[in-house]
Amino acid sequence: QVQLVESGGGSVQAGGSLRLSCAASGRSLSIFGMGWFRQPPGKEREFVAGISWGGATYYVDSVKGRFTVSRDNARATVYLQMNSLRPEDTAIYYCAQRKDGSYYALGSYNYWGQGTQVTVSS
């Protein structure tokens, strides 16, 4: 069974940067697409960014130009570089492995990490 572990979260001021990492067990990243989701306090989990096995990337409009998703298949790791952070980016961030379907949909993923907290102060 695939295990995913996020790291790199923390607290920053608005305008700052963080890089999140998601380490996956085995060689799953060479086979499946990966996604990043976030869940702000009191709100639903939402799609942030995704990357396919072939390197195609997907972003929600609110992070385009600020966030960059990438992957290192040899290290079985996916990254989310977050620049120009805003208070509304505050959330628990999760990585997930896609099984099928749209990269933007929660139901397309079958394995999830435990999440890492990102807090952006104004």
Side-chain angles (χ1 to χ4, degrees), residues 1-93:
Q1 187 166 324
V2 173
Q3 291 185 313
L4 304 173
V5 180
E6 302 96 337
S7 62
S11 298
V12 298
Q13 293 186 177
S17 298
L18 287 171
R19 188 176 79 155
L20 306 184
S21 298
C22 174
S25 64
R27 293 168 55 84
S28 62
L29 291 181
S30 68
I31 301 172
F32 300 101
M34 299 292 295
W36 285 98
F37 288 75
R38 66 187 180 189
Q39 188 164 17
K43 297 184 178 180
E44 298 293 318
R45 193 170 300 187
E46 65 178 358
F47 174 81
V48 178
I51 185 165
S52 76
W53 59 268
T57 56
Y58 311 84
Y59 299 95
V60 67
D61 285 346
S62 61
V63 309
K64 288 181 179 177
R66 300 190 297 123
F67 292 10
T68 303
V69 63
S70 61
R71 65 191 298 165
D72 183 343
N73 288 345
R75 298 182 62 184
T77 303
V78 63
Y79 304 95
L80 185 66
Q81 177 66 46
M82 305 186 295
N83 299 326
S84 301
L85 283 162
R86 305 165 180 169
E88 53 264 43
D89 295 319
T90 295
I92 301 174
Y93 283 71

